[in-house]
C-alpha cells in the first residue's frame, strides 16, 4: 500500500505519502493560495521524499472539503486525474474530520474531551463539527458537521458540552474576538497544527482503504458544505434591503 | 450596529468623477467591497477606472463583462474588478470562487452588484450612480457603515 494524499482546501497546499509501514513523507507549500501552480510538484516531492514514483502508488486520497471552493476543485480534479491516469482507486476524506484526527494524535491536547474544527466560511459562518477525542480512529462524531453561524456554535458548545474542548482551524483566527467574548472551556490549537494538512488526510485515507471505502476516480465528489440556494435566500442579507431602501 | 453614513453627491463632469474616484481610493482598505449600482452608461466603469488610478493601478481598466472578474496588482492594494451583469444570482458568483476575494487582501469593486447582493458582505459600501438633469450630470449616492 502506498497512498498519495492531497490537501488543498486551506491556505497552504500540502501532500503526503503514507506507506504500508505507516511512515509519512510530506511536502507543503510556503505560498498562500498557489495550489494550482504547485500541487503536481508537491506530489512529486512527497513521492521522492519516500523514494518512490507515481507508478508505485496504490491509491490517491484527497481532502474533499469543506474549505476553499477553488482549492477543493483543484484537489479533486488533481486526484481524479491521477486516479484515472494511473488506474488506481481514489479516497475522499473530510477536511474537518482530518483536522480533528490530527489534534487527537497530539499529546498536547490529550486532556480535551472534544475537538471542534472550524473553517472560516466568512460573514460569521464556519464549517464545523464536534468530534470526541480519543486514540481509536476514526473518531466518533458527536454533532453534525455543517455550516454554522459562529454564535450558534459557541452557544451550542456552552449549552450542550461541559467538557474541555480543543478548537482548531482558521475559524479561530477569523472569529477570535467573538470567541473571547463567549468564554468557554476552550483550548485553542497551536498554530503549528491548526490548519489543514495532507498528513491527516493520509492517516484517515489509510484507515478508509482498510475499511474498503475507496471509490473510482469518477465517483470522487466534493463536499462544499454550502447552504442550499433556498436556505441562503431565506436569510437574504441586510445588503439587499440596504439597496432596496437606498 | 454602527450608524449608516449616507451621502448624495452631484458630479457634473469627467473631472469630478476623477476627483471622486481618487477620494474613494484614498479611503478604502483591504477587505472592502464596493457594490456599484447604476444603469448602462451611468459611468460605473469610468468611476472604477479612477478608483483604480487613485490606488496606483497602472494597467488599463476595461469592463470584465465576459471574464466576470479581473485582478490588478500594481496599486496600493490588490483590486478585484467584477462585472456580474451576465450572472443569474449570488450563487453564480460563489460558483466562480469569488468568496475568497470578498474578505481577502484587496478591494473588490462589483458592477451590477444588485444581482449578487444576497452573497455580498452586509457591510459593503454601496455606490449608486443615476442620471442627473443634464447629460453630463450624475447623482452619486454613497452609503457605508
Amino acid at each position: 500500500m502506498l497512498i498519495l494524499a492531497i490537501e488543498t482546501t486551506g491556505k497552504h497546499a500540502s501532500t503526503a505519502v503514507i506507506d504500508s509501514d505507516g511512515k509519512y513523507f510530506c511536502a507543503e507549500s510556503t505560498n498562500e493560495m498557489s495550489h494550482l501552480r504547485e500541487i503536481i510538484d508537491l506530489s512529486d516531492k512527497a513521492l521522492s521524499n519516500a523514494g518512490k514514483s507515481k507508478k508505485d502508488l496504490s491509491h490517491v486520497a484527497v481532502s474533499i472539503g469543506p474549505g476553499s471552493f477553488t482549492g477543493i476543485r483543484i484537489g479533486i480534479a488533481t486526484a481524479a486525474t491521477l486516479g484515472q491516469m494511473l488506474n488506481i482507486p481514489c479516497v475522499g476524506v473530510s477536511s474537518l474530520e482530518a483536522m480533528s484526527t490530527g489534534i487527537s494524535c497530539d499529546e498536547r491536547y490529550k486532556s480535551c474531551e472534544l475537538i471542534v474544527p472550524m473553517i472560516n466560511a466568512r460573514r460569521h459562518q464556519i464549517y464545523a463539527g464536534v468530534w470526541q477525542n480519543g486514540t481509536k480512529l476514526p473518531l466518533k462524531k458527536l454533532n453534525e458537521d455543517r455550516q454554522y453561524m459562529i454564535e450558534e456554535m459557541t452557544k451550542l458548545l456552552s449549552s450542550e458540552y461541559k467538557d474541555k474542548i480543543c478548537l482548531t482551524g482558521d475559524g479561530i483566527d477569523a472569529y477570535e474576538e467573538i470567541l473571547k467574548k463567549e468564554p468557554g472551556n476552550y483550548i485553542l490549537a497551536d498554530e503549528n497544527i491548526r490548519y489543514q494538512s495532507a498528513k491527516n488526510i493520509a492517516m484517515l485515507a489509510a484507515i478508509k482503504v482498510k475499511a474498503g471505502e475507496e471509490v473510482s476516480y469518477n465517483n470522487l465528489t466534493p463536499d462544499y458544505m454550502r447552504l442550499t440556494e433556498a436556505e441562503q435566500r431565506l436569510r437574504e442579507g441586510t445588503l439587499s434591503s440596504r439597496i432596496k431602501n437606498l | 450596529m454602527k450608524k449608516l453614513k449616507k451621502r448624495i453627491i452631484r458630479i457634473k463632469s469627467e473631472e469630478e468623477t476623477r476627483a471622486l474616484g481618487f477620494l474613494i481610493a484614498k479611503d478604502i482598505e483591504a477587505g472592502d467591497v464596493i457594490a456599484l449600482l447604476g444603469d448602462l452608461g451611468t459611468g460605473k466603469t469610468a468611476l472604477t477606472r479612477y478608483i483604480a488610478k487613485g490606488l496606483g493601478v497602472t494597467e488599463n481598466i476595461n469592463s470584465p463583462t465576459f471574464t466576470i472578474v479581473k485582478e490588478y496588482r500594481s496599486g496600493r492594494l490588490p483590486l478585484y474588478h467584477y462585472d456580474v451583469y451576465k450572472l443569474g444570482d449570488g450563487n453564480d458568483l460563489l460558483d466562480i470562487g469569488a468568496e475568497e476575494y470578498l474578505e481577502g487582501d484587496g478591494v473588490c469593486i462589483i458592477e451590477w452588484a444588485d444581482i449578487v447582493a444576497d452573497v455580498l458582505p452586509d457591510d459593503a459600501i454601496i455606490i449608486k450612480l443615476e442620471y442627473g438633469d443634464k447629460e453630463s450630470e450624475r447623482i452619486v449616492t454613497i452609503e457605508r457603515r
Side-chain angles (χ1 to χ4, degrees):
Chain A
M1 184 191 77
L2 191 73
I3 305 173
L4 168 69
I6 293 171
E7 172 57 277
T8 51
T9 68
K11 268 194 186 134
H12 298 274
S14 57
T15 58
V17 166
I18 180 172
D19 65 16
S20 27
D21 298 331
K23 267 209 207 113
Y24 296 96
F25 305 89
C26 304
E28 189 185 7
S29 169
T30 50
N31 301 315
E32 284 189 7
M33 304 312 273
S34 56
H35 308 337
L36 188 60
R37 221 171 316 143
E38 296 186 35
I39 195 62
I40 293 296
D41 285 346
L42 288 170
S43 304
D44 290 342
K45 205 168 155 194
L47 278 165
S48 78
N49 287 348
K52 302 285 184 186
S53 74
K54 283 195 188 76
K55 62 178 193 320
D56 301 317
L57 288 171
S58 65
H59 298 80
V60 53
V62 62
S63 174
I64 56 167
S68 152
F69 278 29
T70 312
I72 292 171
R73 275 182 282 212
I74 291 168
I76 298 256
T78 307
T81 307
L82 288 172
Q84 183 179 21
M85 198 175 79
L86 302 167
N87 199 20
I88 54 174
C90 298
V91 186
V93 177
S94 148
S95 57
L96 290 171
E97 188 181 0
M99 291 163 87
S100 300
T101 307
I103 295 290
S104 77
C105 297
D106 193 311
E107 288 291 314
R108 290 174 289 178
Y109 308 104
K110 238 170 65 184
S111 64
C112 296
E113 296 289 326
L114 305 170
I115 304 170
V116 179
M118 39 176 73
I119 295 174
N120 181 15
R122 292 173 181 83
R123 292 186 295 152
H124 284 241
Q125 297 164 86
I126 49 170
Y127 306 114
V130 181
W131 275 269
Q132 183 156 40
N133 198 4
T135 47
K136 199 173 158 280
L137 298 178
L139 298 174
K140 193 177 166 202
K141 185 159 69 182
L142 300 179
N143 231 88
E144 187 196 359
D145 45 337
R146 62 171 171 86
Q147 195 169 24
Y148 290 86
M149 299 301 284
I150 179 72
E151 294 84 358
E152 181 190 2
M153 179 52 87
T154 52
K155 203 178 275 173
L156 174 84
L157 292 178
S158 59
S159 64
E160 295 283 317
Y161 301 105
K162 299 287 164 245
D163 302 317
K164 196 158 144 194
I165 302 165
C166 175
L167 301 181
T168 189
D170 67 359
I172 296 176
D173 311 328
Y175 304 115
E176 214 172 350
E177 295 303 311
I178 295 168
L179 291 169
K180 268 186 205 152
K181 261 187 253 157
E182 274 285 335
N185 200 359
Y186 306 137
I187 291 187
L188 304 184
D190 191 87
E191 283 181 25
N192 64 13
I193 197 181
R194 189 177 289 182
Y195 310 107
Q196 289 95 318
S197 161
K199 189 182 174 187
N200 302 327
I201 300 294
M203 195 185 331
L204 273 181
I207 293 167
K208 281 177 174 265
V209 166
K210 275 176 200 143
E213 292 174 39
E214 50 189 49
V215 295
S216 115
Y217 72 89
N218 50 1
N219 286 325
L220 205 50
T221 43
D223 185 4
Y224 297 118
M225 211 169 263
R226 205 167 79 200
L227 293 179
T228 63
E229 189 181 337
E231 286 172 289
Q232 203 135 31
R233 292 231 166 274
L234 265 181
R235 11 168 268 105
E236 190 165 301
T238 51
L239 187 68
S240 303
S241 50
R242 278 176 60 199
I243 288 175
K244 265 174 225 147
N245 296 331
L246 207 63
Chain B
M1 198 146 303
K2 274 178 263 171
K3 221 176 141 192
L4 297 174
K5 278 177 252 162
K6 189 169 165 181
R7 268 192 172 190
I8 298 173
I9 304 163
R10 265 168 205 277
I11 46 179
K12 296 187 186 69
S13 63
E14 179 95 9
E15 196 42 49
E16 288 185 9
T17 307
R18 180 188 150 93
L20 178 63
F22 274 58
L23 211 66
I24 294 167
K26 249 190 178 170
D27 199 35
I28 46 182
E29 297 164 9
D32 278 346
V33 174
I34 297 180
L36 208 47
L37 314 172
D39 285 338
L40 278 170
T42 45
K44 296 186 292 299
T45 305
L47 181 61
T48 305
R49 199 170 286 145
Y50 288 122
I51 295 173
K53 219 166 193 182
L55 286 172
V57 172
T58 51
E59 295 105 316
N60 200 18
I61 307 277
N62 300 310
S63 187
T65 311
F66 295 100
T67 52
I68 313 295
V69 61
K70 268 194 192 168
E71 295 184 27
Y72 301 94
R73 296 187 176 271
S74 54
R76 175 172 74 85
L77 295 166
L79 171 66
Y80 308 109
H81 179 205
Y82 285 82
D83 180 341
V84 300
Y85 186 71
K86 287 169 71 71
L87 298 183
D89 61 26
N91 271 287
D92 291 346
L93 189 66
L94 298 182
D95 282 342
I96 65 163
E99 210 165 14
E100 273 130 44
Y101 292 119
L102 291 176
E103 278 181 31
D105 55 347
V107 171
C108 289
I109 300 183
I110 303 174
E111 296 194 30
W112 299 100
D114 37 340
I115 296 170
V116 296
D118 54 333
V119 301
L120 296 183
D122 292 341
D123 58 357
I125 301 163
I126 304 173
I127 301 182
K128 186 161 95 176
L129 299 169
E130 289 167 294
Y131 289 111
D133 299 331
K134 293 196 196 96
E135 203 189 308
S136 61
E137 195 181 62
R138 297 288 183 273
I139 301 157
V140 186
T141 311
I142 302 179
E143 194 204 65
R144 70 181 305 170
R145 286 196 153 155

